[in-house]
Amino acid sequence: MGTRFQSFLLVFFLSCLVLISTASCERNGDGTIRIGLKKRKLDRGNRLASQLFLKNRGGSWFPKDHFRLNDANADMVPLKNYLDAQYYGDITIGTPPQKFTVIFDTGSSNLWIPSTKCYLSVACYFHSKYKASQSSTYKKNGKPASIRYGTGAIAGYFSYDDVKVGDLVVKEQEFIEATSEPGITFLLAKFDGILGLGFKEISVGNSTPVWYNMVEKGLVKEPIFSFWLNRNPKDPEGGEIVFGGLDPKHFKGEHTYVPVTHKGYWQFDMGDLQIAGKPTGYCAKGCSAIADSGTSLLTGPSTVITMINHAIGAQGIVSRECKAVVDQYGKTMLNSLLAQEDPKKVCSQIGVCAFDGTDSVSMGIQSVVDDGASGLLNQAMCSACQMAAVWMESELTQNQTQERILAYAAELCDHIPTQNQQSAVDCEKVSSMPIVSFTIGGRTFDLSPQDYIFKIGEGVETQCTSGFTAMDIPPPRGPLWILGDIFMGPYHTVFDYGKARVGFAKAA
């Protein structure tokens, strides 16, 4: 959740903590609650702060806002939008209710909020803290708990109390009182805690998630929830999460549903990826993906993210090893590929890799730690070779000449992204950038430059960054794509717990 940043920017970030949106609450006749939200115009200070959250898993967050339902058994929670990088909403815990702002995160399963017993973490002093002694419905648990996210960790202990989400009250809900929140990410966050909406299989302490209790206690009519994220930067409304239903006004056409293939995250199978209508071939035989409201960006394997960054002109880190591989072994690799050799085995056959390609790209730093610098260099060469083999195979399917293929691979070397970091792009070229398409359930889902480019600031001070970032997750869990808010913004997303499936439709 969030990205790394230099400590000297802390003073700017602290000044941004006061820029929290205000809201008014209105109860509608159909039993739903509508909250009007305001958000502050971006300036230099909060532009810097926003960069903290433009990252990957654990990255920024959530949905935002609200809508009217005719079904009294469906409940919606308004969501606030912070710079299109965090979406968050309000809940209460205890009796009388204590209010907290949380991220509704489909990539985790626990509910946690700061405790009044959090003494040594600076972050706790900038957020609302749960006061067990002031709640008549509090019940002691005391079991220790800790959760590690992409950019930080929390620790504390479990407690029980009544949790109210919208108009739904979940009695005796188990949650974590956080007594430690290390890391700048939590200090600068606009939210107090996280409400996980993933499966119980990834719940720390085998705790029953809030959503499970909503379903099991009959608080919702249908065992589904849905997200609408408002990506219009000029619209004060952030979006909306609906528990027990979906609002037809928030999507167009029909949803395309795909089954959950592995419970834990909301994981499903994905088909090939296209750049400007051109198949990459990387996922032609299938890839795995998860829909993650707790990640602001869209992450994928370095190999394909590099191809995307090249196509949109993103400036990554130049890899000397990558260019060395293309220069020294490019023609040999091409000959092997022309002989119908498996791209995953080409690099081991020419002696660049010590294994046969069954490991994922860039997975092996831990395996060469004891080998010193030479081991790391060999691993970097191997990873570069594996990526280049995929690029060359992709170009061969397009009947390109060998000269063009080698030149293209060398160009891609200049766009290899740093793991979990963003790449800068030219704001003046956004309108000419290509459509990037994902195949899900046999349907093509397009992302336009307006969908995948973050614009921060105005006029000559505008900064633009790619919404695509690299994350190489090794087998058996990976390779894995994480479709965060970059994807869930243009596509209304339904999480169907009852039928174990995920659905996507064009957002209205």
Side-chain angles (χ1 to χ4, degrees), residues 337-409:
L337 293 170
L338 287 169
Q340 306 298 314
E341 202 62 65
D342 185 344
K344 294 182 179 180
K345 298 183 178 181
V346 166
C347 296
S348 62
Q349 291 176 347
I350 64 176
V352 176
C353 292
F355 48 87
D356 64 2
T358 56
D359 293 321
S360 68
V361 172
S362 299
M363 67 132 332
I365 292 229
Q366 61 200 33
S367 67
V368 295
V369 167
D370 296 332
D371 295 337
S374 62
L376 291 173
L377 179 60
N378 291 337
Q379 179 61 33
M381 290 284 286
C382 175
S383 296
C385 181
Q386 288 182 299
M387 286 191 284
V390 174
W391 301 335
M392 292 179 183
E393 175 73 9
S394 176
E395 289 298 285
L396 281 173
T397 61
Q398 306 299 318
N399 297 318
Q400 299 287 346
T401 65
Q402 292 193 27
E403 290 75 14
R404 172 55 195 154
I405 293 173
L406 292 174
Y408 175 66

Side-chain angles (χ1 to χ4, degrees), residues 3-17 44-53 184 187-188 463:
T3 69
R4 293 179 233 162
F5 59 96
Q6 300 299 321
S7 59
F8 68 82
L9 294 180
L10 178 58
V11 63
F12 292 102
F13 295 167
L14 292 177
S15 68
C16 297
L17 292 175
R44 180 183 298 275
N46 57 26
R47 182 172 73 247
L48 289 171
S50 73
Q51 295 173 2
L52 174 66
F53 299 97
I184 287 294
L187 174 65
L188 302 177
Q463 296 179 0

Side-chain angles (χ1 to χ4, degrees), residues 89-139:
D90 296 329
I91 66 170
T92 65
I93 302 177
T95 307
Q98 300 175 36
K99 184 179 177 180
F100 301 95
T101 297
V102 298
I103 283 177
F104 292 91
D105 179 19
T106 59
S108 64
S109 298
N110 291 87
L111 167 62
W112 67 262
I113 44 85
S115 171
T116 52
K117 295 184 179 180
C118 182
Y119 304 120
L120 301 179
S121 295
V122 176
C124 288
Y125 292 92
F126 287 86
H127 296 95
S128 299
K129 295 182 286 294
Y130 172 71
K131 306 174 183 65
S133 62
Q134 296 183 14
S135 174
S136 62
T137 46
Y138 161 77
K139 290 186 178 181

Side-chain angles (χ1 to χ4, degrees), residues 392-503:
M392 292 179 183
E393 175 73 9
S394 176
E395 289 298 285
L396 281 173
T397 61
Q398 306 299 318
N399 297 318
Q400 299 287 346
T401 65
Q402 292 193 27
E403 290 75 14
R404 172 55 195 154
I405 293 173
L406 292 174
Y408 175 66
E411 291 175 12
L412 289 182
C413 289
D414 288 331
H415 298 274
I416 296 177
T418 302
Q419 288 281 302
N420 308 335
Q421 298 292 310
Q422 285 183 284
S423 301
V425 297
D426 187 344
C427 292
E428 295 183 357
K429 296 181 179 180
V430 170
S431 60
S432 62
M433 291 179 184
I435 299 293
V436 178
S437 306
F438 294 81
T439 305
I440 301 174
R443 176 185 168 190
T444 299
F445 292 83
D446 295 334
L447 293 183
S448 69
Q450 290 70 33
D451 294 326
Y452 62 72
I453 295 298
F454 280 101
K455 282 190 176 182
I456 304 172
E458 296 180 351
V460 295
E461 294 187 351
T462 302
Q463 296 179 0
C464 295
T465 57
S466 167
F468 298 102
T469 188
M471 180 183 287
D472 290 312
I473 300 174
R477 291 178 55 199
L480 184 69
W481 289 83
I482 301 177
L483 307 186
D485 297 341
I486 287 288
F487 190 87
M488 291 177 61
Y491 294 103
H492 180 266
T493 307
V494 176
F495 297 85
D496 190 336
Y497 173 76
K499 296 182 179 179
R501 62 179 184 170
V502 183

Side-chain angles (χ1 to χ4, degrees), residues 1-2 53-56 58-62 85-86 293-296 485:
M1 55 176 74
F53 299 97
L54 304 183
K55 191 178 174 183
N56 66 316
S60 21
W61 284 282
F62 310 12
Q86 295 179 65
S293 63
T295 296
S296 62
D485 297 341

Side-chain angles (χ1 to χ4, degrees), residues 138-202:
Y138 161 77
K139 290 186 178 181
K140 184 178 180 180
N141 181 314
K143 181 174 60 177
S146 63
I147 303 176
R148 177 164 297 280
Y149 295 94
T151 54
I154 65 100
Y157 55 87
F158 284 100
S159 293
Y160 296 103
D161 210 333
D162 294 351
V163 174
K164 186 176 182 180
V165 181
D167 275 344
L168 306 179
V169 178
V170 182
K171 294 186 177 298
E172 298 185 7
Q173 172 65 47
E174 189 175 34
F175 67 98
I176 298 172
E177 288 192 54
T179 57
S180 174
E181 296 184 31
I184 287 294
T185 299
F186 295 110
L187 174 65
L188 302 177
K190 296 294 183 182
F191 54 89
D192 301 314
I194 292 178
L195 193 157
L197 293 170
F199 288 91
K200 188 175 181 178
E201 280 79 354
I202 59 171

